[in-house]
Structure formats: structure tokens, C-alpha cells
Amino acid sequence: MPAIVMSNAGSNGAKKFEGKITIYVVICGVIAATGGLMFGYDIGISGGVTSMDDFLEEFFPVVYERKHKAKEDNYCKYDNQGLQLFTSSLYLAALVSSFVASKVCTKHGRRLTMQAASVFFLIGVVLNAAARNIAMLIIGRILLGVGVGFANQAVPLFLSEIAPVHIRGALNILFQLDVTIGIFVANIVNYFVSNIHPWGWRLALGLAGVPATMLCLGSMVIAETPTSLIEREQLMEGLAMLKKIRGTDNVNAEYEEILHACEMARQVKRPFRNLMKRSSRPQLVIAIAMQVFQQFTGINAIMFYAPVLFQTIGFKNDASLLSAVITGIVNVLSTVVSVVLVDKLGRRFLLLEACGQMLITQVAIGGVLLVNLKSTNELEHGVAVWVVVLVCLFVSSFAWSWGPLGWLIPSETFPLATRTAGYAFAVSSNMLFTFVIAQAFLSMMCHLRAGIFFFFAAWIVVMGLFVIFLLPETKNVPIDEMSERVWKRHWFWKRFMDEEEQDKKDSV
């Protein structure tokens, strides 16, 4: 299994590693950001394309005809399993490929895995942009999904291993920020190409190749991470790279810790089996639950289908795409809030505040639509604007809480021996439930109508209760002290930690 060094500087006796933010680390961060842009652009672009008439007329004529009927059903005009499969097939492919990518990361390194991600993604882009039938579209989406699975496994590892200890947490959230920027850029592209007939949708899908090309070329320029080099027993190369990225020759302490982490990782022969032990249950439950709850906020349903959603409530095509651009701006700016506040206010505060804000906005959106939007009418302009405002309030609360923290918390709670295996479960859980929501949302909106928002509101209540009773605060707790200071002291999880010492003996 891959080894990740997650030491903490200057906290309760933890080791201090010398180093600074070098130009090389900045370059690596920019390159890794293109992995986030690649993922985010795809999230944003798929929803916009599926609302474009030229695309629907060519591949989904039934949906096109339903959309333009004089008395179409507002809630059901986009209900089509093939249309949903166009969006959701990517995430099913990403789910499966993330486990393959974990092995590739270990055996061949993070850089090669990122290169593979960009190549898979580029092939998928070509197939989608040149598609002549639904089969080409779906195969292209599957290849995009393989690229996303590889990138989401390799890029966070690369960032965590290349960054100085004192900014590692910020860089993890920065990846999520890059995803939101990708969504925002995609929304802008959707807005402008929607008036380019009949090939605007091809341009929108084809431009996904830009961040993928940047990642491909960039990953050829940068070197491998020190941890990956040392893990593959290239010790001298690893030491030289560590000196380069830290900007100092005084790296012996960090080098020794990486050596120790790699040795521990080699001793754990069955990391996935170790995750099934009782003492690993708290971290595993938290990691999977955070990913499930992240999807059942309803955020991806809104971000995937924002243009479609706004058309459903009565906006015309240009106006709906512009509204999606507005929500994209809110998404980016609110994620910056998380970068600034997460280590000051704590994880639980941001999550609970967001639960309250998301609950109010989801209920309000559902109530407005229930009263004002029937099967065939359009919302009054003033009411529709309020719906956009409520969506923006919902998106902002998610973007500074469940969005970035859904990835951050699993990355900081697992012990080293099961950290990458546990994180693989987190990634795969996210992709599985992203697939479920993407595949089901339009059909759920057709059958539940405005009730779809009450459905997600009910889940937000469950999420809030989970945070209150089962999610401990991890702010300012050193990674290596998580077991003693968090799990063994938590009123519920401490009962699972009794077997920890025996598990340690059995895991070797």
C-alpha cells in the first residue's frame, strides 16, 4: 500500500521539519490544480450540454420533443434514463478505476498515474466531442470516468506528499477550490456556446481537453514525490528530491520519518482486510458517512443540472445558463471561506452551521415550487429570482462545509497503516453515490416534483444529528495522536478501540 507521511509541526511534541514554500512546490500545486479543474469542468459542462437543444435533438430526440411541447410537464421534461446515463456513467467508471489507480500509484508512482489520468481523459474528450451516436457518448464518458478515478487518487496524494507540513491541510482544501473553479469556467463556457449552432455543444465538451492537456504536459515536467521514490526503494533520488522541494539540505528528520512510514507500509500486507477490524470501524464509518452525506445534501443534483433546473422553473436557455454561472461564482468564493476558517472555527462548527442553512434553503425552495410551479405553468420572474437566491445560499453553505470537509476529514482520521486503503473507500463511496444521484435525480424530480427538495432536507436533518452525536472534532489534533485524543475519548467510538493493541499485533 502507498505510504503517506502526515506529521504535524510543533503540536504537542510532534517533530518539526525544516522547509519553506519553494517555487517548485508552487509549480506542483498549479499542475495538481489542473486535475481539480479537469474534474470540476466536467461536472459543470455535462449539465449545460444536456440542456442545449442541438445536443438533445441529435441524441435524445424524445427529450427534445417533450421539452418543446406546448403543455410539457415542468418536472418531467428531462426524465430520460439515457440522458441521465450520459452524466452518471462517468462516476461508475471512476468508482471502479479508483481501486486500480491505488495499485498503479504504489507500483509506478504518482506522476505516472496523473499522466495516465490525463491520457484516459483526453481520449474520452475526443470521443465525446466527435460523437455520432449514444454509444460513442457513453464510451467517451466511461473513459473520462477512468481519468477522473486516476486523477482523484493521485493528485491528493501528490499534493500531500509535496507540500510542507504546515500548509498540507490548506492544500487539500485548495484542490476542492480548483474543482469549484472548473465548475465555474464550465458554466461560463455553457453560456457562450449555447448560441453557437449546431456545434456549440461539441466545443463545450472538447474544451475539457484543455485542463487534461495541461495536466499531461505538466506531469512530464515535474518529478516524482520523495515518498513515492523512497517507497519504491530509490533512496538517493528521494533524498535529493526532498532537499529540492524543501529548499534546504537539513531534511534528515523528515527523510527518516518517510523511511519509517514506508517500512511500516510494507509490513502491512492486507490493508483492506485490516479496515474490517473492530478498531478501524470508527474511522471507516466516518469516512464513508461523510461521502454519502455529501451527496445526499443534493449538491451534485443542483450542480450537474443547474441549467436544467433553472429551465424547469421557467428561465429560458440563456437565462438559465447565466443563473448557473452565478451559482458557480458563489461556489468558488464560499470555498475560500473554508480555507480561511476551517482551522479557526473547527470542522464541527462549519458542518453544523451549514446543516442549518442548507435545511432552511431546501425547505424554502421546495415550498416555493410546491405553491407556485405546477405541471405546465412558469414561475413569475420575481419568484424565479428568489429561487436562484435560495440556490446560491444553499451552494454557499455547502461550499464552506460538506464540500471540502467531506474530503479533509477522512484524510486526517485514519492511522498510517490503513490510511490509503481507507481513503480509497472514501473515494469509491463518493463516486458510487454521485452515480446514484446523477442517475436518479431527473426521474426523482419527475415523480416527487417539488418534494425532491424535501427529500434532501430530510437527509440534512440526519446529517446534523450524525455530526452532533458521532463526529468528533479533529481541529488541531496531531494525526498520530488521533487514536488517543479522539477515538478513545469519544462517548460512542471508544468502545471499538479496546481491540486496537491486539489489532496492531495482528496487522503485521
Side-chain angles (χ1 to χ4, degrees):
M1 59 181 287
I4 310 177
V5 178
M6 300 284 284
S7 299
N8 302 272
S11 178
N12 297 321
K15 296 178 181 178
K16 292 184 179 180
F17 297 145
E18 185 175 332
K20 55 188 177 182
I21 304 176
T22 62
I23 296 297
Y24 183 76
V25 168
V26 173
I27 293 173
C28 289
V30 172
I31 291 172
T34 60
L37 289 173
M38 188 173 76
F39 184 30
Y41 183 88
D42 181 81
I43 291 176
I45 212 69
S46 57
V49 166
T50 54
S51 71
M52 296 181 188
D53 285 348
D54 294 324
F55 176 81
L56 292 175
E57 188 174 16
E58 183 161 352
F59 296 104
F60 302 98
V62 173
V63 178
Y64 175 80
E65 292 176 8
R66 188 187 304 159
K67 176 182 176 182
H68 290 279
K69 282 182 179 178
K71 292 186 178 181
E72 61 184 346
D73 189 318
N74 280 318
Y75 292 101
C76 297
K77 55 188 174 184
Y78 291 101
D79 179 20
N80 181 275
Q81 287 297 310
L83 184 62
Q84 292 172 125
L85 185 62
F86 167 75
T87 297
S88 62
S89 56
L90 181 149
Y91 301 95
L92 191 60
L95 186 161
V96 176
S97 64
S98 62
F99 288 100
V100 178
S102 178
K103 299 293 185 182
V104 175
C105 263
T106 301
K107 188 173 182 179
H108 300 290
R110 287 51 161 159
R111 186 180 70 157
L112 186 64
T113 307
M114 287 191 287
Q115 289 175 349
S118 62
V119 170
F120 280 120
F121 202 87
L122 283 169
I123 297 173
V125 167
V126 170
L127 285 175
N128 273 185
R132 297 297 177 185
N133 51 58
I134 293 179
M136 283 185 70
L137 277 179
I138 300 302
I139 293 172
R141 292 290 292 176
I142 290 172
L143 289 171
L144 291 176
V146 175
V148 167
F150 272 61
N152 280 15
Q153 184 72 26
V155 172
L157 281 179
F158 186 89
L159 280 172
S160 66
E161 292 172 352
I162 211 76
V165 174
H166 60 283
I167 64 167
R168 181 174 285 123
L171 281 182
N172 277 331
I173 293 183
L174 186 61
F175 179 74
Q176 175 70 15
L177 175 63
D178 298 325
V179 173
T180 65
I181 293 173
I183 295 172
F184 171 60
V185 171
N187 289 334
I188 293 177
V189 170
N190 284 332
Y191 178 71
F192 284 105
V193 305
S194 62
N195 292 316
I196 301 176
H197 303 289
W199 50 271
W201 64 270
R202 294 188 186 274
L203 178 59
L205 294 177
L207 287 175
V210 174
T213 300
M214 294 170 62
L215 180 63
C216 184
L217 296 178
S219 60
M220 294 178 183
V221 174
I222 62 175
E224 187 57 86
T225 70
T227 300
S228 180
L229 290 168
I230 296 169
E231 183 179 34
R232 290 179 288 141
E233 300 183 349
Q234 300 176 35
L235 303 185
M236 298 307 297
E237 293 88 340
L239 178 59
M241 181 52 58
L242 189 59
K243 292 178 180 179
K244 179 179 180 180
I245 65 175
R246 297 293 178 252
T248 178
D249 289 335
N250 187 18
V251 296
N252 290 337
E254 186 171 2
Y255 178 71
E256 291 298 325
E257 179 143 330
I258 294 174
L259 278 175
H260 178 65
C262 291
E263 181 58 34
M264 287 181 60
R266 290 191 194 100
Q267 291 176 2
V268 178
K269 304 300 183 183
R270 302 179 299 273
F272 286 98
R273 183 175 177 180
N274 282 8
L275 275 176
M276 300 300 108
K277 294 182 177 180
R278 182 178 173 87
S279 61
S280 295
R281 202 164 299 164
Q283 303 96 319
L284 186 61
V285 170
I286 293 293
I288 294 177
M290 290 297 293
Q291 301 301 326
V292 174
F293 289 149
Q294 187 187 73
Q295 300 312 308
F296 278 87
T297 59
I299 184 63
N300 275 344
I302 287 178
M303 298 311 292
F304 285 153
Y305 300 113
V308 172
L309 177 64
F310 290 133
Q311 281 196 15
T312 294
I313 64 175
F315 284 91
K316 299 305 180 184
N317 194 53
D318 285 353
S320 69
L321 291 172
L322 181 59
S323 299
V325 170
I326 294 172
T327 59
I329 295 173
V330 171
N331 197 17
V332 172
L333 295 179
S334 299
T335 305
V336 176
V337 173
S338 183
V339 174
V340 175
L341 296 181
V342 66
D343 290 319
K344 297 178 181 179
L345 299 179
R347 284 70 162 143
R348 281 168 53 89
F349 177 88
L350 291 178
L351 292 172
L352 288 173
E353 186 282 332
C355 282
Q357 188 169 327
M358 289 190 297
L359 177 62
I360 293 171
T361 52
Q362 287 278 30
V363 171
I365 293 170
V368 169
L369 298 186
L370 184 65
V371 172
N372 295 280
L373 185 67
K374 306 306 179 184
S375 293
T376 57
N377 72 313
E378 292 185 358
L379 290 181
E380 295 179 5
H381 178 73
V383 176
V385 170
W386 272 110
V387 171
V388 174
V389 171
L390 289 169
V391 168
C392 287
L393 289 173
F394 170 83
V395 169
S396 67
S397 58
F398 174 87
W400 64 54
S401 60
W402 289 89
L405 299 185
W407 296 106
L408 174 61
I409 290 173
S411 74
E412 64 184 6
T413 53
F414 285 99
L416 180 62
T418 57
R419 189 166 295 142
T420 54
Y423 194 73
F425 266 94
V427 172
S428 61
S429 298
N430 182 279
M431 293 303 165
L432 173 61
F433 285 93
T434 301
F435 168 79
V436 170
I437 293 297
Q439 185 64 23
F441 175 68
L442 294 179
S443 296
M444 290 172 66
M445 187 165 66
C446 178
H447 292 88
L448 297 179
R449 300 183 176 277
I452 185 68
F453 297 97
F454 298 114
F455 169 82
F456 288 125
W459 274 99
I460 291 170
V461 173
V462 175
M463 291 158 51
L465 294 173
F466 179 86
V467 174
I468 291 172
F469 293 107
L470 296 177
L471 184 68
E473 180 58 69
T474 55
K475 181 188 72 171
N476 295 330
V477 178
I479 297 293
D480 296 329
E481 297 179 23
M482 203 66 73
S483 179
E484 294 294 330
R485 293 178 53 182
V486 174
W487 305 116
K488 289 186 177 180
R489 296 182 183 182
H490 190 270
W491 73 273
F492 181 78
W493 298 120
K494 64 182 181 182
R495 71 190 67 184
F496 293 91
M497 305 307 293
D498 298 337
E499 300 177 7
E500 182 179 28
E501 293 303 321
Q502 184 60 44
D503 284 353
K504 287 181 178 179
K505 296 177 182 178
D506 295 340
S507 66
V508 178

PDB file of all heavy atoms in Angstrom, residues 201-214:
ATOM      1  N   TRP A 201     -22.308  22.553 -28.559  1.00  0.00           N
ATOM      2  CA  TRP A 201     -22.134  21.524 -27.528  1.00  0.00           C
ATOM      3  C   TRP A 201     -20.841  20.742 -27.737  1.00  0.00           C
ATOM      4  O   TRP A 201     -20.202  20.302 -26.765  1.00  0.00           O
ATOM      5  CB  TRP A 201     -23.338  20.575 -27.499  1.00  0.00           C
ATOM      6  CG  TRP A 201     -23.533  19.770 -28.746  1.00  0.00           C
ATOM      7  CD1 TRP A 201     -24.266  20.107 -29.837  1.00  0.00           C
ATOM      8  CD2 TRP A 201     -22.967  18.482 -29.030  1.00  0.00           C
ATOM      9  NE1 TRP A 201     -24.202  19.118 -30.798  1.00  0.00           N
ATOM     10  CE2 TRP A 201     -23.411  18.104 -30.323  1.00  0.00           C
ATOM     11  CE3 TRP A 201     -22.137  17.615 -28.315  1.00  0.00           C
ATOM     12  CZ2 TRP A 201     -23.052  16.900 -30.910  1.00  0.00           C
ATOM     13  CZ3 TRP A 201     -21.771  16.414 -28.901  1.00  0.00           C
ATOM     14  CH2 TRP A 201     -22.224  16.063 -30.188  1.00  0.00           C
ATOM     15  N   ARG A 202     -20.438  20.565 -29.002  1.00  0.00           N
ATOM     16  CA  ARG A 202     -19.177  19.855 -29.274  1.00  0.00           C
ATOM     17  C   ARG A 202     -17.990  20.677 -28.768  1.00  0.00           C
ATOM     18  O   ARG A 202     -17.036  20.129 -28.213  1.00  0.00           O
ATOM     19  CB  ARG A 202     -19.036  19.596 -30.773  1.00  0.00           C
ATOM     20  CG  ARG A 202     -20.066  18.633 -31.343  1.00  0.00           C
ATOM     21  CD  ARG A 202     -19.750  18.273 -32.796  1.00  0.00           C
ATOM     22  NE  ARG A 202     -20.806  17.457 -33.385  1.00  0.00           N
ATOM     23  CZ  ARG A 202     -20.876  16.130 -33.277  1.00  0.00           C
ATOM     24  NH1 ARG A 202     -19.941  15.481 -32.596  1.00  0.00           N
ATOM     25  NH2 ARG A 202     -21.867  15.454 -33.835  1.00  0.00           N
ATOM     26  N   LEU A 203     -18.059  21.979 -28.963  1.00  0.00           N
ATOM     27  CA  LEU A 203     -16.993  22.844 -28.463  1.00  0.00           C
ATOM     28  C   LEU A 203     -16.917  22.780 -26.937  1.00  0.00           C
ATOM     29  O   LEU A 203     -15.821  22.701 -26.365  1.00  0.00           O
ATOM     30  CB  LEU A 203     -17.249  24.286 -28.913  1.00  0.00           C
ATOM     31  CG  LEU A 203     -16.243  25.344 -28.445  1.00  0.00           C
ATOM     32  CD1 LEU A 203     -14.837  25.011 -28.936  1.00  0.00           C
ATOM     33  CD2 LEU A 203     -16.674  26.731 -28.914  1.00  0.00           C
ATOM     34  N   ALA A 204     -18.088  22.809 -26.297  1.00  0.00           N
ATOM     35  CA  ALA A 204     -18.123  22.741 -24.832  1.00  0.00           C
ATOM     36  C   ALA A 204     -17.470  21.465 -24.315  1.00  0.00           C
ATOM     37  O   ALA A 204     -16.656  21.491 -23.377  1.00  0.00           O
ATOM     38  CB  ALA A 204     -19.566  22.838 -24.344  1.00  0.00           C
ATOM     39  N   LEU A 205     -17.820  20.325 -24.918  1.00  0.00           N
ATOM     40  CA  LEU A 205     -17.234  19.048 -24.495  1.00  0.00           C
ATOM     41  C   LEU A 205     -15.755  18.970 -24.858  1.00  0.00           C
ATOM     42  O   LEU A 205     -14.938  18.447 -24.097  1.00  0.00           O
ATOM     43  CB  LEU A 205     -17.991  17.884 -25.134  1.00  0.00           C
ATOM     44  CG  LEU A 205     -19.452  17.690 -24.690  1.00  0.00           C
ATOM     45  CD1 LEU A 205     -20.100  16.552 -25.465  1.00  0.00           C
ATOM     46  CD2 LEU A 205     -19.532  17.427 -23.196  1.00  0.00           C
ATOM     47  N   GLY A 206     -15.389  19.514 -26.018  1.00  0.00           N
ATOM     48  CA  GLY A 206     -14.000  19.445 -26.460  1.00  0.00           C
ATOM     49  C   GLY A 206     -13.049  20.262 -25.615  1.00  0.00           C
ATOM     50  O   GLY A 206     -11.881  19.887 -25.420  1.00  0.00           O
ATOM     51  N   LEU A 207     -13.531  21.386 -25.069  1.00  0.00           N
ATOM     52  CA  LEU A 207     -12.664  22.238 -24.252  1.00  0.00           C
ATOM     53  C   LEU A 207     -12.240  21.564 -22.949  1.00  0.00           C
ATOM     54  O   LEU A 207     -11.328  22.047 -22.273  1.00  0.00           O
ATOM     55  CB  LEU A 207     -13.360  23.569 -23.960  1.00  0.00           C
ATOM     56  CG  LEU A 207     -13.452  24.530 -25.153  1.00  0.00           C
ATOM     57  CD1 LEU A 207     -14.278  25.762 -24.789  1.00  0.00           C
ATOM     58  CD2 LEU A 207     -12.056  24.935 -25.610  1.00  0.00           C
ATOM     59  N   ALA A 208     -12.892  20.446 -22.601  1.00  0.00           N
ATOM     60  CA  ALA A 208     -12.443  19.680 -21.432  1.00  0.00           C
ATOM     61  C   ALA A 208     -11.022  19.164 -21.628  1.00  0.00           C
ATOM     62  O   ALA A 208     -10.327  18.817 -20.660  1.00  0.00           O
ATOM     63  CB  ALA A 208     -13.391  18.514 -21.171  1.00  0.00           C
ATOM     64  N   GLY A 209     -10.582  19.120 -22.885  1.00  0.00           N
ATOM     65  CA  GLY A 209      -9.225  18.671 -23.157  1.00  0.00           C
ATOM     66  C   GLY A 209      -8.156  19.664 -22.731  1.00  0.00           C
ATOM     67  O   GLY A 209      -6.984  19.295 -22.611  1.00  0.00           O
ATOM     68  N   VAL A 210      -8.535  20.930 -22.495  1.00  0.00           N
ATOM     69  CA  VAL A 210      -7.532  21.938 -22.117  1.00  0.00           C
ATOM     70  C   VAL A 210      -6.900  21.624 -20.758  1.00  0.00           C
ATOM     71  O   VAL A 210      -5.673  21.500 -20.660  1.00  0.00           O
ATOM     72  CB  VAL A 210      -8.150  23.351 -22.136  1.00  0.00           C
ATOM     73  CG1 VAL A 210      -7.146  24.369 -21.591  1.00  0.00           C
ATOM     74  CG2 VAL A 210      -8.561  23.722 -23.554  1.00  0.00           C
ATOM     75  N   PRO A 211      -7.685  21.483 -19.657  1.00  0.00           N
ATOM     76  CA  PRO A 211      -7.043  21.131 -18.390  1.00  0.00           C
ATOM     77  C   PRO A 211      -6.378  19.758 -18.423  1.00  0.00           C
ATOM     78  O   PRO A 211      -5.360  19.546 -17.759  1.00  0.00           O
ATOM     79  CB  PRO A 211      -8.192  21.172 -17.369  1.00  0.00           C
ATOM     80  CG  PRO A 211      -9.432  21.022 -18.176  1.00  0.00           C
ATOM     81  CD  PRO A 211      -9.142  21.675 -19.491  1.00  0.00           C
ATOM     82  N   ALA A 212      -6.938  18.819 -19.206  1.00  0.00           N
ATOM     83  CA  ALA A 212      -6.325  17.492 -19.300  1.00  0.00           C
ATOM     84  C   ALA A 212      -4.966  17.576 -19.987  1.00  0.00           C
ATOM     85  O   ALA A 212      -4.001  16.907 -19.570  1.00  0.00           O
ATOM     86  CB  ALA A 212      -7.243  16.537 -20.068  1.00  0.00           C
ATOM     87  N   THR A 213      -4.862  18.401 -21.023  1.00  0.00           N
ATOM     88  CA  THR A 213      -3.577  18.591 -21.699  1.00  0.00           C
ATOM     89  C   THR A 213      -2.571  19.261 -20.770  1.00  0.00           C
ATOM     90  O   THR A 213      -1.387  18.891 -20.745  1.00  0.00           O
ATOM     91  CB  THR A 213      -3.769  19.446 -22.967  1.00  0.00           C
ATOM     92  OG1 THR A 213      -4.673  18.785 -23.849  1.00  0.00           O
ATOM     93  CG2 THR A 213      -2.445  19.659 -23.683  1.00  0.00           C
ATOM     94  N   MET A 214      -3.033  20.231 -19.994  1.00  0.00           N
ATOM     95  CA  MET A 214      -2.161  20.904 -19.025  1.00  0.00           C
ATOM     96  C   MET A 214      -1.617  19.912 -18.002  1.00  0.00           C
ATOM     97  O   MET A 214      -0.432  19.937 -17.650  1.00  0.00           O
ATOM     98  CB  MET A 214      -2.921  22.029 -18.334  1.00  0.00           C
ATOM     99  CG  MET A 214      -3.304  23.175 -19.253  1.00  0.00           C
ATOM    100  SD  MET A 214      -4.453  24.354 -18.481  1.00  0.00           S
ATOM    101  CE  MET A 214      -3.468  24.945 -17.108  1.00  0.00           C
TER     102      MET A 214
END
